[in-house]
Amino acid sequence: MAYRRRRRSFPRRKVCRFCADSNVKIDYKDPKLLKYFITERGKIIPRRISGNCARHQREITMAIKRARHIALMPYTTIQPH
Amino acid sequence: MRRYETLFIVTPDSSEEELKAVADKFQGVVTGMDGKVASYDEQGKKSLAYNVKKQSKGYYVLMDYLAQAEVVAELERNMRLDDRILKYLTVKLADDVDPASVEAVKPKPKKEAEKTEVAEEEAQSPEAQESEEEETEEETEEE
């Protein structure tokens, strides 16, 4: 029983927030929004965790990579000296 | 004509006049090659996510313009040579734009007027939702 309970305890399915609200535009110039999809170390959060759909995860990834290039977002938080 | 936007970072120790000179120079490059600058927006001094050329801050400038592909090459070449530019990024916004549909910018623009005009279409593909079902199991195992 306990075992089954554990297996069955699936977390609530996250809905892709960009599908839910089409007003939100994914833009590389908007680090405030993109910050939500990276870890404290600056890594992109996989969609398994973030709950984005494939299409929007792709857009997010692209936007984050562009933002990194133009120094709006970090590649990593460990700064080289 | 294609519509591009270039976001670039000007070195933080530049004065008002230098920013003006940079604006004139790069807008001149675009207009000089039959391009059309749709907006030129100085977004002000921001701190960079990481140091670029030993600088931790920079003036971000967003230039939105219509031009041929060669103009982008020329513009980027100029930016590489210019010491005041720390970094630049050019993104294509749209193909085959009618130059008449976009108004050229006045010498000193206030704020970006239209930028969301060339927005990506929003449509959800049905397969994406189907695949979400299977993912649930994966997550359970992790915990």
Side-chain angles (χ1 to χ4, degrees), chain A residues 7 28-29 48 68 70-71, chain B residues 5 49-50 60 139-140 142:
Chain A
R7 286 286 291 158
Y28 70 94
K29 296 187 291 297
R48 160 165 59 82
R68 280 175 179 168
I70 199 70
Chain B
E5 69 178 19
Y50 50 88
Y60 276 85
E139 271 184 49
T140 328
E142 276 204 338

Side-chain angles (χ1 to χ4, degrees), chain B residues 88-134:
Chain B
Y88 56 84
L89 173 72
T90 304
V91 175
K92 185 174 77 182
L93 297 177
D95 275 316
D96 295 326
V97 181
D98 176 20
S101 67
V102 180
E103 219 169 289
V105 80
K106 282 95 204 153
K108 192 71 186 168
K110 294 287 278 177
K111 276 269 165 190
E112 20 86 275
E114 20 68 81
K115 181 177 68 181
T116 44
E117 179 198 79
V118 193
E120 308 95 296
E121 70 287 347
E122 221 73 16
Q124 162 67 331
S125 56
E127 318 86 83
Q129 278 194 325
E130 272 172 50
S131 63
E132 280 184 34
E133 241 95 297
E134 279 110 311

Side-chain angles (χ1 to χ4, degrees), chain A residues 7 10-11 13 19 22 25-26 28-29 47-48 55-56 66 68-75 79, chain B residues 5 7 9 48-50 60 87-89 91 119-124 132 135 139-142:
Chain A
R7 286 286 291 158
F10 46 96
R13 181 71 231 152
C19 295
S22 56
K25 288 277 182 301
I26 300 173
Y28 70 94
K29 296 187 291 297
R47 87 195 181 84
R48 160 165 59 82
R55 180 203 177 100
H56 289 116
R66 282 176 178 170
R68 280 175 179 168
H69 177 86
I70 199 70
L72 286 170
M73 292 182 90
Y75 281 100
Q79 290 292 326
Chain B
E5 69 178 19
L7 183 62
I9 310 170
L48 309 177
Y50 50 88
Y60 276 85
K87 243 172 182 287
Y88 56 84
L89 173 72
V91 175
E120 308 95 296
E121 70 287 347
E122 221 73 16
Q124 162 67 331
E132 280 184 34
E135 276 172 56
E139 271 184 49
T140 328
E141 266 162 1
E142 276 204 338

Side-chain angles (χ1 to χ4, degrees), chain A residues 14-32:
Chain A
K14 297 168 203 105
V15 194
C16 174
R17 55 178 292 198
F18 301 102
C19 295
D21 179 8
S22 56
N23 295 326
V24 186
K25 288 277 182 301
I26 300 173
D27 185 4
Y28 70 94
K29 296 187 291 297
D30 182 7
K32 276 207 200 91

Side-chain angles (χ1 to χ4, degrees), chain A residues 40-53:
Chain A
E40 313 81 285
R41 294 227 150 192
K43 300 209 272 181
I44 299 172
I45 295 175
R47 87 195 181 84
R48 160 165 59 82
I49 312 289
S50 69
N52 285 338
C53 69

